[in-house]
Amino acid sequence: MSTINDIWDKVKGLLEEEVSQVSFDSWIKPIEPASQNGNKFTLKVPFGVNKNMIMTKYFSLIESCLESVTEEKCEIEVIVEEEDKKEYLAQDPTMANNEINPKYTFSSFVVGNNNQLAYVASLAVAERPGKTYNPLFLYGGSGLGKTHLMQAIGNYYLENYPDKKILYTTSEKFTYELVTAIREKTNQAFRNKYRNVDLLLIDDVQFFANKESAQEEFFHTFNALHEMDKQIVLTSDRLPSEIPQLEVRLLSRFNSGLLADVQPPDFETRMAILKNKIQSEYLSVSDDIIEYIADNVKSNVRDLEGAVKRILVYAGIKRTNNISMELAKE
């Protein structure tokens, strides 16, 4: 009778053939078999970031390989080794404080005429960090996908450069932490946090407007990272030149990279976004209903996704699985 270690060795052999060597070494190799109870297998990973990547990207593949080896339907649980997790969080607060959504990837981003430049630039930055478009400044209205692209860069880093330090935050949080650091006299710890990273992602930099101390601190943070060829990605709802009372020297830094805008999606892109969203919810909706939504919701991606959710909720209230045109209109 095969032991759990024997089974897992065979599973790893199959997985090594299915994923790149970098992905295998970074995410599959650290997995250890913890226990087996019938057809339920518990796998152990060292850190939360490993579990996050397994659950969002490799879970189905691991399940398939495990079932191929055991020749039966299997249930998988992934746990984090708590002691290592605590130690990891203690020694690396940069990664511990990240708020990168694993769902925001390049593969889940719908590309259209409205966002093609921003998408191509973001992918180039992910593939050649610190060498291409540094900084990358993404701008456009709310709900159009700027944060999605920014975090897609972060998720690409997590998968392909697992030893790199990533920090995602907003300008508001940056400012709040700076105020706290000044009050508690922990300025150096604050600077160490933001200047010892390989990828810095700052969302909504328009909130730096009128905040002189935050602009001063970020100017020096920007320079420190840029001089070391560390990648900086920024988003805003407007061009740098349109941010009120933004210091000239900071404006110059923002303009020194690539400015890429994200516009509201055209009809074809709205259709693609809706189909992608509906497919992710495992729904079957006719094209005429999708066209109806795309015709009536034109503002941004967030509103398109909200329209799908509202129809789903209304279908639940009506207690029907048949999403008809009448229901969609109502």
Side-chain angles (χ1 to χ4, degrees), residues 182-306:
I182 293 171
R183 184 178 66 245
E184 298 178 356
K185 298 181 181 180
T186 55
N187 299 56
Q188 193 55 52
F190 172 86
R191 288 165 185 158
N192 289 342
K193 173 181 176 179
Y194 281 94
R195 299 182 191 182
N196 293 325
V197 298
D198 298 287
L199 172 65
L200 179 61
L201 309 169
I202 303 282
D203 222 346
D204 296 324
V205 297
Q206 70 270 13
F207 289 110
F208 278 139
N210 307 318
K211 297 179 176 68
E212 294 179 5
S213 296
Q215 289 188 39
E216 171 81 16
E217 188 63 39
F218 187 67
F219 172 77
H220 294 297
T221 296
F222 184 104
N223 285 345
L225 293 173
H226 199 269
E227 287 171 5
M228 294 185 291
D229 290 328
K230 304 302 183 183
Q231 183 66 51
I232 303 165
V233 182
L234 312 167
T235 74
S236 173
D237 65 358
R238 67 201 75 174
L239 281 163
S241 59
E242 296 172 351
I243 299 175
Q245 297 186 27
L246 186 67
E247 289 186 14
V248 174
R249 58 181 181 173
L250 205 52
L251 174 63
S252 174
R253 296 298 187 277
F254 290 173
N255 284 328
S256 66
L258 176 68
L259 306 179
D261 67 331
V262 183
Q263 297 292 331
D266 56 23
F267 176 77
E268 289 76 16
T269 306
R270 294 198 300 274
M271 286 283 291
I273 290 169
L274 286 167
K275 287 184 177 181
N276 192 53
K277 176 64 177 176
I278 288 167
Q279 185 179 15
S280 71
E281 299 285 348
Y282 301 100
L283 299 173
S284 178
V285 179
S286 64
D287 283 350
D288 60 335
I289 295 175
I290 296 174
E291 284 187 30
Y292 174 76
I293 301 172
D295 272 332
N296 285 275
V297 182
K298 302 177 182 179
S299 50
N300 59 51
V301 179
R302 198 170 292 143
D303 287 348
L304 283 170
E305 293 182 341

Side-chain angles (χ1 to χ4, degrees), residues 89-188:
L89 297 183
Q91 70 186 13
D92 199 345
T94 301
M95 288 300 298
N97 292 335
N98 262 328
E99 299 174 2
I100 296 178
N101 189 330
K103 293 182 179 179
Y104 288 154
T105 63
F106 287 114
S107 61
S108 66
F109 188 82
V110 178
V111 185
N113 293 329
N114 62 305
N115 56 29
Q116 191 168 29
L117 173 61
Y119 173 83
V120 171
S122 298
L123 189 57
V125 160
E127 291 175 341
R128 299 189 71 240
K131 307 298 181 184
T132 310
Y133 313 135
N134 196 18
L136 174 62
F137 192 102
L138 304 172
Y139 69 96
S142 176
L144 296 178
K146 303 183 302 296
T147 299
H148 186 141
L149 283 174
M150 168 180 273
Q151 295 204 11
I153 296 172
N155 279 312
Y156 188 96
Y157 260 68
L158 283 172
E159 181 174 2
N160 294 280
Y161 318 115
D163 58 327
K164 301 291 186 181
K165 291 185 178 181
I166 308 164
L167 179 55
Y168 166 82
T169 191
T170 65
S171 61
E172 282 186 300
K173 189 173 180 181
F174 180 95
T175 304
Y176 173 78
E177 289 182 4
L178 174 61
V179 171
T180 302
I182 293 171
R183 184 178 66 245
E184 298 178 356
K185 298 181 181 180
T186 55
N187 299 56
Q188 193 55 52

